[in-house]
Amino acid sequence: MCRWLVYSGPPIHLDTVLFEPENSLINQSLHARLGASATNGDGFGIGWYGDRPAPGQFRDVLPAWNDDNLRSVAEQISSPLFFAHVRASTGTATSRSNCHPFRHASWLFMHNGRIGGFDRIRRELEMCIDPALYAARLGTTDSEALFYLMLTHGLDADPPGATRKAVAQVLALMAAAGTKEPFRLTAAASDGRRTVAIRYSSDAASPSLFYGRPALAGLDGGGGEPPIMILSEPLDADGETWIEVPEGHAVLLEDGEITVLAFSPDEPVMAPVRASA
Amino acid sequence: MCRWLVYSGPPIHLDTVLFEPENSLINQSLHARLGASATNGDGFGIGWYGDRPAPGQFRDVLPAWNDDNLRSVAEQISSPLFFAHVRASTGTATSRSNCHPFRHASWLFMHNGRIGGFDRIRRELEMCIDPALYAARLGTTDSEALFYLMLTHGLDADPPGATRKAVAQVLALMAAAGTKEPFRLTAAASDGRRTVAIRYSSDAASPSLFYGRPALAGLDGGGGEPPIMILSEPLDADGETWIEVPEGHAVLLEDGEITVLAFSPDEPVMAPVRASA
Amino acid sequence: MCRWLVYSGPPIHLDTVLFEPENSLINQSLHARLGASATNGDGFGIGWYGDRPAPGQFRDVLPAWNDDNLRSVAEQISSPLFFAHVRASTGTATSRSNCHPFRHASWLFMHNGRIGGFDRIRRELEMCIDPALYAARLGTTDSEALFYLMLTHGLDADPPGATRKAVAQVLALMAAAGTKEPFRLTAAASDGRRTVAIRYSSDAASPSLFYGRPALAGLDGGGGEPPIMILSEPLDADGETWIEVPEGHAVLLEDGEITVLAFSPDEPVMAPVRASA
Amino acid sequence: MCRWLVYSGPPIHLDTVLFEPENSLINQSLHARLGASATNGDGFGIGWYGDRPAPGQFRDVLPAWNDDNLRSVAEQISSPLFFAHVRASTGTATSRSNCHPFRHASWLFMHNGRIGGFDRIRRELEMCIDPALYAARLGTTDSEALFYLMLTHGLDADPPGATRKAVAQVLALMAAAGTKEPFRLTAAASDGRRTVAIRYSSDAASPSLFYGRPALAGLDGGGGEPPIMILSEPLDADGETWIEVPEGHAVLLEDGEITVLAFSPDEPVMAPVRASA
């Protein structure tokens, strides 16, 4: 059910991260180790921050494992902050508009999981989207709808707070519809400066999520800050690098600092429970 | 701005109609003669009635003029009633979900034209769709939204009446939003038994629409009923076959009979003003 | 490394065979049980005989498991003889031209396996193709090259014999190039009347292949001939229906009769060693 | 019949060149002014030199005029030397492998025109390709075959000379086959340092080709070298910027210098007939 990663650190060529590690994201598109489905071949996407105001976005419906354009673009693009996602559809159509990451102004967003019984609340959920943002929704996924809900709740002003309110609103709609299926997610959003990732599910059975400061080839090793990654599954078997994000927690990334917070839709976002790693 | 055709008559191989005429629909995808744009290369689609309860549907984002799958499928499929459409996008994304014809239960629908200022009323328009139908909307076009509005207004019970009410509702939403741009359409809907096509625009400048009973190769010439076609532009230069559908009129097709009616969103659908040709 | 099936019998809607069985070919595209790779998501294709001289052909680069066009076309098409294939690429590019089945005149051909070290002998192999056929080769796979070699060796006149000579020629080229890797195949070819399938590998480790006369829903059960299928893996767990094609054997299908023959590139095709099942 | 451009100069974002001019290449994909066909919607491609040894390459079968990935990638990529091409197929299949520019090691190549009667000489032509390069040919176009012929004749050592020999060899094969149709081309090849473009046809009726030093927004205007472009048709109506490349001439680009030479397949490449503009 999808796999994704965020990279934040010194500029690096995307292929170093996407293709080269032992359990690279491209490898996970064909043989994910920790996901609900081993195969994530219903499309892929990357979003990356460069020297333009808005991030770049490149998405396609083909499996990531065999796409020459993805490899070529990843080889040529160097970025200090990027998102990458490989998709296993949970029901909505396979189209470029339904591939992650989604982009709005300077924001990128991607998601692994699903809003249970989405079809039953889709209409109400879409009605909660700020009318001024509504026309910007280009696809039909629950993921993109959640993104626009987060934007509606003030993602610009308070990323963790807006995420919490959006999740709470979805849960309220699900409760009102009598939905039994869970709402599960790991997700990440960024505006190029601040990044928030969360791991939360209404039944506390979230997809996997990790973070860490990997040593990667291709970086200038001379004293620079090690990069930070937040990702669905570790890129390798190095047990010391990768730290699991606990259920019901959020990870904030800003200025090279990681902060881990408890996350609950019912409570305002708490003060950090763990300092940056 | 799109070209389409409906065929109704003795079963015929689709390629006879789609590929062979001098000004075939495939030709119109590259060199339309009467359309707003000569090129209609933003996707294509066919829908056809066969021996299953629901019609078949085959859509793709590639230009129709070079698609080997379309040619092969058209060569092999024989049908007594089918829709075909080549798309010139008016803004919404190019994806299979946004290609015509759209399908719902036994209904097919396609459209040439646009709802002026759609982005401004999209949210309200989608809210008018029957909640029970809402989740069936797979794309983001104004055309598909109109289709679901027609279904909401009882397309099954009264095709021309439902079409009129849906068009009227769209116009009301546009007026409330202060929209200046026109609402233009030629469109067709069918459930395999009854077909309705309309040519109407709020500024009386609709795209072209014709109907007629062409002589086509590949039909059993022995005394059978000649087929009926409703289409954006004539397949050839035979001035005697093709009759223009006047502005503000609808064409009904049922049991081999054509009826032409005045169409106005403000009035209930009138009794026929012209007997079948 | 690909999965395929041949159906021959009373006309049946393709979806009955492709989608409905417990271990349908569509299921095998995502979770093959006996193939070298569980995932066969590098494209798919169908070829079917109808009422036109040449068979229909529909191929695409998307995974079969999520393609709405494939489902819709399969629901609508009824055929007495058809091929279906889901692809796991062995190196050549993902393009429609490289998807199976390949088509030439009335022939269809598909393949599971690979010509070891193909790149080293590709040029020589392509030079063995009859110049009159050469321009018909639309892709770059070893599979399609083998097909054109079979046509060159007289597939029309003697299907098993031409297959044997083509395989022998490939082996000779491989030997001349000092190739260590094996030449493995299960493959099927048909002209709509005669069908030949083979299971042969130079290292006797061929992909799986079965045949049988399954009871399928959707057929007129009243006394008609049961259909015959030749396929990479059984559609269900019915041990009585499915018979394994032994290593180094060919299956001939004509007029509802199955004949199993020993197959060796070194020997002319032998008289049947086993009567039809 | 295709349109293309080469940019060489200070690094510039690709979208400045591809999307913004009045008669941009994207515009030419839908409404070319000087091409054999107004529509060039059978795919597109870009190749660009960056900080990796090999150039990047991004090609797709969709029309360029509506591809969000192309726009996004072009907005984010800055390059001092890039190729861009929009395709109108002359018969060969629409696949990514058949889109230009083609890439081999550090070389890029693109072509507008066709080898007349290609199907009749395709086999012989492909046999002239250096066996060591043969397996690198990924598609089936006459254009890519010409590229590999140029590489075979020493494109690395002597770009204009190798081009001349390749063209001469094609003409010889055409003569031997009794081909009546012409061999027409404008084409460009580069290794990131040296660029050669030619305008030659056996019937002296080549597609259009121009070069010039345009003033483009987005460049650092402070005293830097103006860029050089070689392209199928001018980006705007500025008659002073764009100089037509005469029939039977080649343009060499190296270190910011343009040299125009007479080009004839029969003669070794002549000394420059005109100094750089």
Side-chain angles (χ1 to χ4, degrees):
Chain A
M1 204 176 287
C2 306
R3 304 276 78 188
W4 55 260
L5 65 81
V6 179
Y7 171 97
S8 178
I12 192 171
H13 282 99
L14 267 54
D15 66 326
T16 305
V17 174
L18 294 185
F19 284 88
E20 292 178 24
E22 177 216 332
N23 185 34
S24 70
L25 192 71
I26 300 308
N27 186 67
Q28 294 170 38
S29 68
L30 193 53
H31 298 294
R33 298 177 186 181
L34 303 177
S37 54
T39 308
N40 297 276
D42 295 317
F44 65 86
I46 54 176
W48 68 96
Y49 292 88
D51 57 2
R52 295 321 267 274
Q57 182 192 36
F58 171 58
R59 307 182 284 180
D60 211 346
V61 295
L62 296 162
W65 62 72
N66 226 350
D67 193 87
D68 287 342
N69 284 338
L70 176 62
R71 178 175 274 285
S72 198
V73 168
E75 281 172 354
Q76 294 289 330
I77 290 175
S78 186
S79 173
L81 174 54
F82 56 92
F83 277 30
H85 181 281
V86 291
R87 185 175 184 231
S89 169
T90 56
T92 47
T94 301
S95 67
R96 286 182 179 183
S97 305
N98 283 348
C99 292
H100 316 213
F102 302 99
R103 175 178 65 175
H104 185 82
S106 61
W107 285 94
L108 289 174
F109 174 79
M110 57 191 173
H111 171 223
N112 168 203
R114 68 180 301 193
I115 296 176
F118 176 61
D119 269 1
R120 285 195 299 282
I121 64 163
R122 176 181 158 190
R123 187 173 181 272
E124 284 68 30
L125 201 154
E126 286 177 346
M127 281 308 99
C128 296
I129 295 171
D130 184 342
L133 293 172
Y134 192 85
R137 173 166 163 70
L138 301 178
T140 54
T141 60
D142 53 348
S143 305
E144 191 196 26
L146 175 62
F147 178 40
Y148 279 94
L149 217 59
M150 290 162 60
L151 287 162
T152 297
H153 282 285
L155 191 57
D156 267 315
D158 174 13
T163 305
R164 182 184 70 77
K165 290 178 195 162
V167 169
Q169 188 164 36
V170 171
L171 290 168
L173 289 171
M174 290 171 67
T179 302
K180 299 285 188 287
E181 303 102 299
F183 175 18
R184 291 194 184 140
L185 74 157
T186 67
S190 182
D191 65 351
R193 196 169 53 82
R194 306 161 292 171
T195 303
V196 56
I198 78 175
R199 186 179 187 218
Y200 169 83
S201 296
S202 58
D203 65 347
S206 300
S208 58
L209 192 64
F210 297 81
Y211 68 97
R213 292 184 183 271
L216 291 166
L219 285 174
D220 175 7
E225 275 289 320
I228 299 166
M229 293 193 64
I230 308 172
L231 66 186
S232 296
E233 43 185 272
L235 298 183
D236 51 46
D238 181 352
E240 306 222 355
T241 297
W242 308 109
I243 302 165
E244 193 176 23
V245 177
E247 266 291 345
H249 279 70
V251 179
L252 306 186
L253 213 54
E254 189 168 359
D255 298 327
E257 294 290 319
I258 306 173
T259 312
V260 182
L261 312 164
F263 177 94
S264 162
D266 308 318
E267 305 282 340
V269 177
M270 305 289 287
V273 293
R274 186 147 85 240
S276 63
Chain B
M1 203 173 289
C2 305
R3 305 275 77 188
W4 56 259
L5 65 80
V6 178
Y7 171 96
S8 178
I12 191 171
H13 283 100
L14 267 54
D15 65 326
T16 305
V17 175
L18 295 185
F19 284 89
E20 291 178 23
E22 178 218 331
N23 185 34
S24 71
L25 191 71
I26 299 309
N27 186 67
Q28 295 169 39
S29 69
L30 193 54
H31 298 294
R33 298 176 186 183
L34 301 177
S37 52
T39 308
N40 297 275
D42 295 319
F44 65 86
I46 55 176
W48 68 97
Y49 292 87
D51 57 2
R52 294 320 266 275
Q57 181 192 38
F58 169 57
R59 307 181 285 179
D60 211 346
V61 294
L62 297 162
W65 63 72
N66 225 351
D67 194 87
D68 287 340
N69 284 338
L70 175 62
R71 178 174 274 283
S72 199
V73 168
E75 281 173 355
Q76 294 287 332
I77 289 174
S78 185
S79 173
L81 174 54
F82 57 91
F83 278 31
H85 181 280
V86 292
R87 186 174 184 231
S89 170
T90 56
T92 48
T94 301
S95 68
R96 288 182 178 183
S97 306
N98 283 348
C99 290
H100 316 212
F102 303 99
R103 177 178 65 174
H104 184 82
S106 60
W107 285 94
L108 289 174
F109 174 78
M110 57 191 173
H111 171 222
N112 169 204
R114 68 178 302 194
I115 296 177
F118 176 61
D119 271 1
R120 286 195 297 280
I121 65 163
R122 176 181 160 190
R123 187 172 181 271
E124 285 67 32
L125 199 154
E126 287 177 344
M127 282 308 99
C128 297
I129 295 170
D130 184 343
L133 294 172
Y134 192 85
R137 171 164 162 73
L138 301 177
T140 54
T141 59
D142 52 349
S143 305
E144 190 196 28
L146 175 62
F147 178 40
Y148 279 93
L149 216 59
M150 289 162 61
L151 287 162
T152 298
H153 282 286
L155 192 56
D156 266 313
D158 174 14
T163 306
R164 182 183 70 77
K165 289 178 195 162
V167 169
Q169 188 165 36
V170 170
L171 289 168
L173 289 170
M174 290 171 66
T179 302
K180 299 285 188 287
E181 302 103 297
F183 176 17
R184 291 194 184 141
L185 74 157
T186 67
S190 182
D191 66 352
R193 196 170 54 80
R194 305 160 294 169
T195 303
V196 57
I198 76 174
R199 185 179 189 219
Y200 168 83
S201 296
S202 57
D203 65 347
S206 299
S208 58
L209 192 64
F210 297 81
Y211 69 96
R213 294 185 183 269
L216 292 165
L219 286 174
D220 176 6
E225 276 288 322
I228 299 165
M229 293 192 65
I230 308 172
L231 66 185
S232 297
E233 42 186 274
L235 298 182
D236 52 46
D238 181 351
E240 306 220 358
T241 297
W242 308 109
I243 303 165
E244 193 177 23
V245 176
E247 267 291 347
H249 279 71
V251 180
L252 307 186
L253 212 55
E254 190 168 356
D255 299 326
E257 295 289 319
I258 306 173
T259 310
V260 182
L261 313 164
F263 177 93
S264 162
D266 306 319
E267 304 282 339
V269 178
M270 305 291 286
V273 294
R274 185 148 85 244
S276 63
Chain C
M1 204 174 290
C2 306
R3 306 275 79 189
W4 56 259
L5 65 81
V6 178
Y7 171 99
S8 177
I12 191 171
H13 283 98
L14 267 52
D15 66 326
T16 305
V17 174
L18 295 185
F19 283 88
E20 292 177 24
E22 178 218 331
N23 185 33
S24 70
L25 192 70
I26 299 310
N27 186 68
Q28 295 170 40
S29 67
L30 193 54
H31 299 295
R33 299 177 186 182
L34 303 177
S37 53
T39 308
N40 296 276
D42 296 317
F44 65 85
I46 54 177
W48 69 97
Y49 291 88
D51 56 2
R52 293 321 265 278
Q57 183 192 37
F58 171 58
R59 307 182 284 179
D60 211 346
V61 294
L62 297 162
W65 62 73
N66 226 352
D67 194 87
D68 288 341
N69 285 337
L70 175 61
R71 179 174 273 282
S72 197
V73 167
E75 284 172 352
Q76 294 288 330
I77 288 175
S78 185
S79 172
L81 174 55
F82 56 91
F83 278 30
H85 181 279
V86 292
R87 185 174 185 231
S89 169
T90 57
T92 46
T94 302
S95 68
R96 288 182 178 183
S97 305
N98 283 349
C99 292
H100 317 212
F102 302 99
R103 176 179 64 175
H104 184 84
S106 60
W107 285 94
L108 289 175
F109 174 79
M110 56 191 175
H111 171 222
N112 169 205
R114 69 179 300 192
I115 295 178
F118 176 61
D119 270 1
R120 285 195 299 280
I121 63 163
R122 175 181 160 190
R123 188 173 182 270
E124 284 68 31
L125 201 154
E126 287 177 344
M127 280 309 98
C128 296
I129 296 170
D130 184 343
L133 293 172
Y134 192 84
R137 172 165 163 71
L138 301 177
T140 54
T141 59
D142 52 349
S143 305
E144 189 195 28
L146 175 62
F147 178 40
Y148 279 94
L149 215 60
M150 289 162 59
L151 288 162
T152 298
H153 281 286
L155 191 56
D156 267 314
D158 174 14
T163 305
R164 183 184 70 76
K165 290 178 196 163
V167 168
Q169 188 164 37
V170 170
L171 290 167
L173 289 170
M174 290 171 66
T179 303
K180 298 285 188 287
E181 303 102 298
F183 176 18
R184 290 195 184 139
L185 72 158
T186 67
S190 182
D191 65 352
R193 195 170 54 81
R194 304 163 292 170
T195 303
V196 56
I198 76 174
R199 185 180 188 218
Y200 169 82
S201 297
S202 58
D203 66 346
S206 299
S208 58
L209 192 64
F210 298 80
Y211 69 97
R213 292 184 182 272
L216 291 166
L219 286 175
D220 176 6
E225 276 289 321
I228 300 167
M229 294 193 64
I230 309 173
L231 66 185
S232 296
E233 43 186 271
L235 298 182
D236 53 46
D238 181 350
E240 305 220 357
T241 298
W242 307 109
I243 303 166
E244 193 177 21
V245 176
E247 267 289 348
H249 279 70
V251 179
L252 306 187
L253 213 54
E254 188 169 358
D255 298 326
E257 295 289 319
I258 307 173
T259 312
V260 182
L261 313 163
F263 177 94
S264 162
D266 308 317
E267 304 283 338
V269 177
M270 304 289 290
V273 293
R274 185 147 88 240
S276 61
Chain D
M1 204 175 290
C2 305
R3 306 275 78 190
W4 57 259
L5 65 80
V6 178
Y7 171 98
S8 178
I12 192 170
H13 284 100
L14 268 52
D15 65 327
T16 306
V17 174
L18 294 185
F19 284 87
E20 292 177 25
E22 178 216 332
N23 185 34
S24 70
L25 191 71
I26 300 309
N27 186 66
Q28 294 170 41
S29 68
L30 193 53
H31 299 294
R33 299 176 185 182
L34 303 177
S37 53
T39 308
N40 296 275
D42 296 318
F44 65 85
I46 55 176
W48 68 97
Y49 292 88
D51 57 1
R52 295 319 267 276
Q57 183 192 35
F58 170 56
R59 307 182 285 179
D60 210 346
V61 294
L62 297 162
W65 62 72
N66 225 350
D67 193 87
D68 288 342
N69 284 338
L70 176 61
R71 179 175 272 284
S72 198
V73 167
E75 282 173 352
Q76 294 288 331
I77 290 175
S78 184
S79 173
L81 173 54
F82 56 91
F83 278 30
H85 181 280
V86 291
R87 185 174 184 231
S89 170
T90 57
T92 47
T94 301
S95 68
R96 289 182 177 182
S97 305
N98 283 348
C99 290
H100 317 212
F102 302 99
R103 176 179 65 175
H104 185 84
S106 60
W107 285 94
L108 290 173
F109 174 78
M110 56 191 174
H111 171 222
N112 169 204
R114 69 178 302 193
I115 296 177
F118 176 61
D119 271 1
R120 284 194 300 279
I121 64 163
R122 176 181 160 190
R123 187 172 182 272
E124 283 69 30
L125 201 154
E126 287 177 345
M127 280 309 99
C128 295
I129 296 171
D130 183 342
L133 294 172
Y134 192 84
R137 172 165 163 70
L138 301 177
T140 53
T141 59
D142 52 348
S143 305
E144 190 196 27
L146 175 61
F147 178 40
Y148 279 94
L149 216 61
M150 289 162 61
L151 288 162
T152 298
H153 282 286
L155 191 55
D156 267 316
D158 175 15
T163 305
R164 183 185 71 74
K165 290 178 196 161
V167 169
Q169 188 165 35
V170 171
L171 290 168
L173 290 170
M174 290 171 67
T179 302
K180 297 287 187 289
E181 303 101 300
F183 176 18
R184 290 194 185 140
L185 74 158
T186 67
S190 182
D191 66 352
R193 197 170 52 81
R194 306 162 291 172
T195 303
V196 57
I198 77 175
R199 186 179 188 218
Y200 169 82
S201 297
S202 58
D203 65 347
S206 299
S208 57
L209 192 65
F210 297 80
Y211 70 97
R213 293 185 182 269
L216 292 165
L219 286 175
D220 175 6
E225 277 287 322
I228 300 166
M229 293 193 64
I230 308 172
L231 64 187
S232 297
E233 44 187 270
L235 299 182
D236 52 46
D238 181 350
E240 305 219 357
T241 298
W242 308 108
I243 303 164
E244 193 177 22
V245 176
E247 266 291 345
H249 279 70
V251 179
L252 307 186
L253 213 55
E254 189 169 358
D255 298 327
E257 294 289 320
I258 307 173
T259 312
V260 181
L261 312 164
F263 177 93
S264 162
D266 308 317
E267 304 283 338
V269 176
M270 304 290 287
V273 294
R274 184 149 86 242
S276 61

